[in-house]
Amino acid sequence: MTTATEDIGTSVWLPIKDYWGDEPDNGVTFTLTSPKDLVGVSNGRLVDQRTENGKNVSVWEVKNPINDYSITPYVGNYVHFGDTFDGEKGKLSLDYYVIKENLDKAKKQFEQVKPMLKAFEHWFGPYPFYEDGYKLVETPHLGMEHQSAVAYGNKYQNGYLGRDLSGTGVGKKFDFIIIHESGHEWFANNITAQDTADMWIHESFTCYSETLYADYVFGKEDGNTYLIGQRHNIQNDVPIIPDFGVRAHGSGDMYYKGASMLHTIRQVINDDEKFRQILRGLGKEFYHQTVTGKQIQDYINQKSGIDFSSVFTQYLTTVTIPKLEYKQDGKKLSFRWVNTVKAFNLPVRLKNSKTVITPSDEWKTIKLKDKAPVEWDANYYIEYTKAD
């Protein structure tokens, strides 16, 4: 038994205000009463355990701020095993609660946790909740980013219930739920959007964390392949950012399209160390805070030294993908943007080249070094179309 109420709101089971912009500064203490033959688990650390009237009573304490939808109880026929991770802030406790008959499978599958934490600390900075520890708890549903008590229901297999969402083979190299839901500890739990309309902060960065994990563990080529492969899931149905102030949720494209937007920004910055420091800087600058999307955008603009405002507007508020129209005549390459917002600014680097073009909505022409047909870099989430 557990809960997962991010969309409907935690108030359906807990008397609480469903507003992401307000979190308890000093965490939460959760007392859980369960049948004597079952185990109760919640967020944070177990600080007391006793028997009352023939039932188990466990008290769990979270020291850090926590968004309300991350608060949850788990009750089941759990067994516990644990480990520690030597991380950037010292030793991090790792605790696992799984259904008894799945213990052997869990011990093998959860070996992915340490490489995941190492990868994410590399890209994003220290795990944000050392004081509360890290837990995976088996659940009857697929998964959820419950802070310091991540819900796991991927049936101890790689991929997404055994499927590769990228269709490339890379997604079968890791357990989607361990990686994705743990990525939310940095984006959703550490940095939380004040309004559900800015939920892209949670899902775009966390979806991209899968690519960054693959990049770190398996190599950059696998990371790029995985990211590009995910694009077949993009719908371009409605904008990612809906109306503010009414608990509205935007398009599910906040996952894959949002990740491709961040990957495109990474290509423009063209310096992975600088990009990494921007990601780590976000975690430090907005540590344990609720934020607006504009704060995140402004920070990236400032630290990159590049104004990505029109890029955010294009990908987050419209359903059209920038289309680069081009024509080549020998060494002459002409190009322009179509399907873009006003003053769209996205420099594009030719594939395997130092040549960078800066298209606008008017035709521009540059001279290439040779007459070889131009090659475009698929890491940018744009469409390329040859003009007649």
Side-chain angles (χ1 to χ4, degrees):
M1 187 285 296
T2 187
T3 64
T5 53
E6 179 182 18
D7 288 336
I8 195 171
T10 308
S11 63
V12 296
W13 70 273
L14 185 68
I16 203 165
K17 176 171 56 179
D18 284 320
Y19 171 55
W20 289 4
D22 190 15
E23 299 180 351
D25 294 335
N26 299 314
V28 63
T29 301
F30 196 104
T31 302
L32 182 56
T33 302
S34 57
K36 64 179 180 179
D37 56 344
L38 298 178
V39 176
V41 183
S42 190
N43 312 80
R45 296 192 181 278
L46 181 63
V47 295
D48 187 29
Q49 194 167 24
R50 59 187 184 271
T51 301
E52 287 183 4
N53 301 319
K55 294 185 178 182
N56 291 331
V57 178
S58 57
V59 181
W60 299 82
E61 185 177 69
V62 175
K63 294 285 191 184
N64 294 294
I66 184 170
N67 52 48
D68 59 10
Y69 71 78
S70 273
I71 302 169
T72 193
Y74 300 97
V75 178
N77 184 24
Y78 289 126
V79 292
H80 167 262
F81 67 101
D83 201 349
T84 58
F85 171 71
D86 292 322
E88 291 191 14
K89 288 178 68 174
K91 287 196 177 295
L92 173 64
S93 63
L94 310 177
D95 290 283
Y96 308 118
Y97 290 85
V98 301
I99 300 303
K100 189 178 295 184
E101 57 265 31
N102 292 331
L103 179 60
D104 290 340
K105 288 188 287 187
K107 285 183 175 180
K108 185 176 188 304
Q109 193 73 359
F110 292 177
E111 289 176 359
Q112 295 185 37
V113 167
K114 286 186 179 180
M116 173 274 296
L117 288 169
K118 189 173 182 182
F120 287 169
E121 287 208 335
H122 169 81
W123 285 109
F124 302 143
Y127 175 74
F129 309 107
Y130 269 73
E131 301 84 357
D132 298 323
Y134 172 90
K135 287 197 295 295
L136 282 179
V137 186
E138 185 174 352
T139 58
H141 62 86
L142 185 61
M144 187 63 205
E145 67 259 27
H146 297 136
Q147 186 174 309
S148 69
V150 173
Y152 176 84
N154 203 37
K155 303 186 184 302
Y156 304 101
Q157 55 190 328
N158 283 353
Y160 180 100
L161 290 175
R163 294 186 293 117
D164 176 7
L165 295 178
S166 74
T168 66
V170 178
K172 293 294 289 289
K173 292 185 176 184
F174 60 89
D175 189 311
F176 175 90
I177 290 298
I178 292 176
I179 306 310
H180 180 90
E181 301 303 347
S182 298
H184 274 307
E185 294 282 40
W186 282 264
F187 292 95
N189 298 345
N190 180 37
I191 303 174
T192 307
Q194 292 179 4
D195 193 301
T196 56
D198 272 330
M199 192 173 168
W200 68 271
I201 299 170
H202 300 191
E203 300 301 351
S204 298
F205 282 96
T206 302
C207 185
Y208 194 49
S209 76
E210 302 158 28
T211 292
L212 294 175
Y213 166 84
D215 184 310
Y216 186 85
V217 175
F218 308 119
K220 192 168 185 176
E221 184 177 347
D222 270 6
N224 291 346
T225 297
Y226 180 77
L227 184 284
I228 294 167
Q230 284 183 319
R231 290 179 184 158
H232 73 272
N233 298 304
I234 298 173
Q235 301 296 311
N236 283 314
D237 48 0
V238 294
I240 290 173
I241 296 181
D243 293 334
F244 284 86
V246 289
R247 283 184 56 81
H249 292 257
S251 170
D253 284 347
M254 67 179 75
Y255 292 82
Y256 306 108
K257 184 177 177 181
S260 268
M261 175 189 73
L262 295 173
H263 194 59
T264 300
I265 287 172
R266 178 182 175 187
Q267 308 314 306
V268 176
I269 293 173
N270 194 34
D271 182 336
D272 274 359
E273 180 57 26
K274 186 174 184 177
F275 182 70
R276 182 172 81 99
Q277 292 304 327
I278 290 172
L279 295 175
R280 290 174 66 92
L282 285 168
K284 188 174 181 181
E285 178 74 15
F286 302 111
Y287 184 70
H288 292 177
Q289 292 183 35
T290 64
V291 300
T292 65
K294 186 176 187 308
Q295 286 178 279
I296 301 299
Q297 294 176 30
D298 288 348
Y299 184 89
I300 293 173
N301 290 343
Q302 177 192 355
K303 296 301 180 181
S304 68
I306 303 170
D307 187 359
F308 289 107
S309 300
S310 64
V311 174
F312 288 117
T313 299
Q314 179 79 39
Y315 290 102
L316 298 177
T317 70
T318 83
V319 296
T320 55
I321 302 307
K323 182 180 290 185
L324 184 63
E325 194 173 40
Y326 71 97
K327 48 192 174 183
Q328 184 176 355
D329 181 10
K331 292 184 179 181
K332 275 199 324 183
L333 178 67
S334 301
F335 46 84
R336 68 175 179 180
W337 287 124
V338 293
N339 278 353
T340 56
V341 297
K342 186 176 180 181
F344 183 66
N345 178 32
L346 177 64
V348 178
R349 182 173 295 96
L350 273 58
K351 186 177 181 180
N352 301 322
S353 172
K354 293 182 179 179
T355 301
V356 177
I357 61 173
T358 55
S360 68
D361 57 3
E362 300 290 338
W363 283 105
K364 290 184 179 181
T365 301
I366 64 167
K367 188 175 182 181
L368 301 171
K369 291 182 179 179
D370 55 53
K371 297 180 180 180
V374 68
E375 291 187 73
W376 302 104
D377 190 343
N379 286 297
Y380 293 82
Y381 182 44
I382 57 181
E383 296 178 355
Y384 303 97
T385 179
K386 199 166 186 178
D388 296 331

